[in-house]
Amino acid sequence: MKFKSIKGTRDILPGEVETWQRAEAAIHRVMRGYNYREIRTPIFEQTALFARSIGELTDIVSKEMYTFKDRSDESLTLKPEETASVLRAYIQHGLGEQAPLTKVYYIGPMFRQERPQAGRLRQFHQFGAEAVGSSSPHLDVEMTLIALDIYRNMGIQQFSLAINSVGCEKCRPAYKQKLVQELRKTHDRLSPESQARVRHNPLRVLDSKDERDQQLTKHAPLMKDHLCTECGEHFVQVQALLKATRTPFKIDGRLVRGLDYYTKTAFEITSPALGSQDALAGGGRYDLLVEELGGKPTPGVGFAAGMERLLIALEKSGSVSDKSVNLILFIAAADEPARQWAFVKAHELRMKGLTVEIDYLDRSLKSQMREANRQQARYVIVVGENELASGSAKLKNMQTGEETVLDLGAIEKAVKV
Ligand code: AMP
């Protein structure tokens, strides 16, 4: 029997993983700059946590979650996104009592049983940030800046930011009514999916990808034109701050996003390099969510970004870096005593932080040299009976071909750049 990875999951192999590490380093660096601290939460949670936060009627909860009963008959779910888990931890550990504002970030795997296609996986990875405890529009804008800084830091230049306001519990209900009234007029001609949404989640009809739906809803009222004073002012401030930081953006009155918990600001960052699944990141404000999950009323805002999408955009922009591991030294050994010596020496040098390789396959010297070449070792030394007896060996610089005689007690100094 041959085993294969599960549909919609991917192995990240050596050669590719170096780019992941570079992206992770950029994420840690940028997050540190904004003074966000990393948080790591479990892979699975109680199912109800996600149903409650993301919303029972969303695509994620109704169709996509990996939900199972464990042996104690408890319903568990592999996390489809991180915000709910972060807020669960925030409430559980009383983080709000320790500091007035909690700023955290994460990088990790998420799970959704979606139809696999280019850029859409069932186990994918997200990085993101959450700021809990302030309703300042500065933080809404900070979320977009963090994401954009990470892209720029990685060398991705092509992206666009769209923002919208989805209102709040004060202004949304009246708007929703107005929208439903309008949608009812053309209800029967809408796609079956949108027809179902008119009842449960009418705002999402507006971001339907179906062309006919788009045509039919062309003149539908938009939330951004029906905001209450508070939401309206917040939206104006977000725009002013984006302008002040010279961040190009457009307003997209149809941007809703697939999660129920947003209030006020919603945003999305897309890249033309990504094709049909063009979303790099999305986020927004969730001022009611902490309370909804059992905490004290606390405003919050966050974003989540796809790692795989970032890497696709990076590849398209041509800035994927050198994939080599930077092997400094290959010690080729001619006989058994030399192999023993090489093993001990390699350990010693590795302890000092050098990347060193030896032969484990009993290969001939010639074949060891070929291997050193294949692995692009910077230096090779060859040791055998004579070298061990004299305490010196030839050090070959593989880039220049130059050979020098080396004291075997001073390898570290000779190969250090
Ligand atoms: P969401 O949590 O749905 O707002 O998604 C935030 C970001 O995660 C998206 O903009 C994508 O970059 C990424 N993402 C979401 N779902 C997937 C998926 N199934 N496969 C790969 N990336 C995804």
Side-chain angles (χ1 to χ4, degrees):
M1 180 174 176
K2 267 198 184 144
F3 294 107
K4 279 167 86 183
S5 58
I6 311 285
K7 194 169 153 192
T9 69
R10 282 188 63 229
D11 298 308
I12 304 161
L13 299 175
E16 193 187 354
V17 85
E18 288 76 12
T19 316
W20 279 73
Q21 289 166 344
R22 192 161 73 85
E24 285 157 7
I27 294 163
H28 291 302
R29 196 165 54 238
V30 171
M31 293 290 183
R32 246 197 318 271
Y34 284 87
N35 197 26
Y36 283 67
R37 316 259 313 263
E38 189 179 358
I39 183 166
R40 301 184 190 192
T41 65
I43 294 286
F44 55 96
E45 300 268 4
Q46 288 173 309
T47 302
L49 171 68
F50 301 117
R52 190 73 183 262
S53 58
I54 301 169
E56 298 273 5
L57 301 171
T58 56
D59 287 352
I60 295 179
V61 175
S62 65
K63 309 195 274 224
E64 297 169 359
M65 293 207 302
Y66 279 99
T67 296
F68 59 97
K69 289 257 172 87
D70 74 357
R71 285 165 203 273
S72 324
D73 219 25
E74 188 173 5
S75 181
L76 304 174
T77 294
L78 301 184
K79 59 184 173 188
E81 59 110 44
E82 185 67 38
T83 305
S85 300
V86 168
L87 295 187
R88 193 264 312 132
Y90 172 88
I91 298 165
Q92 182 176 340
H93 303 288
L95 299 184
E97 277 103 68
Q98 295 166 30
L101 177 63
T102 301
K103 302 211 292 184
V104 290
Y105 75 96
Y106 57 86
I107 310 176
M110 307 294 156
F111 306 85
R112 294 181 197 172
Q113 191 162 5
E114 297 195 81
R115 196 163 55 80
Q117 51 180 285
R120 198 185 262 182
L121 292 154
R122 291 182 165 177
Q123 173 172 340
F124 57 102
H125 297 75
Q126 286 186 335
F127 62 93
E130 315 287 350
V132 190
S134 161
S135 46
S136 164
H138 283 100
L139 286 167
D140 305 34
V141 174
E142 185 160 295
M143 291 301 157
T144 67
L145 296 179
I146 294 174
L148 295 176
D149 280 5
I150 290 169
Y151 298 133
R152 280 190 283 251
N153 223 280
M154 292 296 295
I156 297 169
Q157 298 298 345
Q158 273 195 311
F159 42 70
S160 55
L161 167 66
I163 61 164
N164 192 20
S165 175
V166 296
C168 68
E169 78 281 17
K170 277 186 247 133
C171 49
R172 198 154 46 191
Y175 161 75
K176 247 189 193 173
Q177 254 183 359
K178 201 173 270 180
L179 176 64
V180 170
Q181 257 171 21
E182 190 62 31
L183 294 175
R184 288 245 159 86
K185 290 183 191 160
T186 53
H187 185 271
D188 295 346
R189 287 188 282 154
L190 290 170
S191 66
E193 208 172 16
S194 286
Q195 286 188 15
R197 282 181 174 154
V198 171
R199 247 167 298 135
H200 304 307
N201 203 345
L203 270 74
R204 287 223 59 203
V205 177
L206 298 178
D207 76 353
S208 165
K209 298 281 176 278
D210 186 297
E211 259 176 44
R212 201 176 146 94
D213 287 351
Q214 286 174 3
Q215 199 60 33
L216 289 169
T217 59
K218 215 166 158 186
H219 302 294
L222 298 176
M223 183 72 242
K224 73 178 177 62
D225 302 321
H226 295 81
L227 298 172
C228 60
T229 314
E230 189 188 318
C231 289
E233 276 169 11
H234 191 92
F235 197 36
V236 166
Q237 284 180 37
V238 166
Q239 293 169 52
L241 288 165
L242 284 169
K243 283 182 194 145
T245 50
R246 290 205 218 107
T247 311
F249 68 93
K250 62 174 201 292
I251 296 174
D252 177 356
R254 292 174 172 260
L255 178 68
V256 179
R257 315 209 60 253
L259 307 97
D260 270 1
Y261 52 61
Y262 288 114
T263 48
K264 297 195 172 103
T265 314
F267 72 87
E268 195 156 74
I269 300 170
T270 52
S271 160
L274 290 181
S276 67
Q277 299 297 315
D278 66 350
L280 276 172
R285 183 159 275 289
Y286 45 80
D287 289 346
L288 305 176
L289 190 52
V290 176
E291 191 179 5
E292 180 71 28
L293 294 178
K296 293 197 190 115
T298 315
V301 61
F303 81 94
M307 273 296 262
E308 285 82 359
R309 304 261 174 105
L310 159 69
L311 297 174
I312 297 170
L314 195 61
E315 201 166 322
K316 294 272 162 67
S317 75
S319 47
V320 171
S321 67
D322 177 19
K323 290 179 176 166
S324 72
V325 288
N326 275 330
L327 179 58
I328 301 291
L329 175 68
F330 193 104
I331 308 177
D335 53 25
E336 204 41 49
R339 284 179 186 280
Q340 184 87 267
W341 181 88
F343 185 73
V344 174
K345 193 53 147 185
H347 172 238
E348 199 180 287
L349 295 169
R350 287 163 176 167
M351 295 260 288
K352 291 183 171 149
L354 298 180
T355 304
V356 180
E357 190 55 293
I358 54 175
D359 176 51
Y360 301 90
L361 300 172
D362 268 333
R363 282 176 283 199
S364 68
L365 267 185
K366 198 168 154 203
S367 155
Q368 290 181 53
M369 292 303 284
R370 244 197 324 264
E371 181 61 23
N373 211 18
R374 193 185 70 78
Q375 293 206 40
Q376 297 175 11
R378 203 174 304 158
Y379 294 99
V380 176
I381 54 175
V382 180
V383 287
E385 205 177 338
N386 293 342
E387 286 77 13
L388 294 189
S390 67
S392 68
K394 272 195 195 130
L395 175 76
K396 183 169 180 183
N397 181 324
M398 299 295 275
Q399 268 149 21
T400 62
E402 187 192 346
E403 288 188 339
T404 45
V405 176
L406 169 76
D407 176 353
L408 287 179
I411 298 177
E412 191 196 354
K413 219 168 104 202
V415 301
K416 265 222 162 129
V417 272

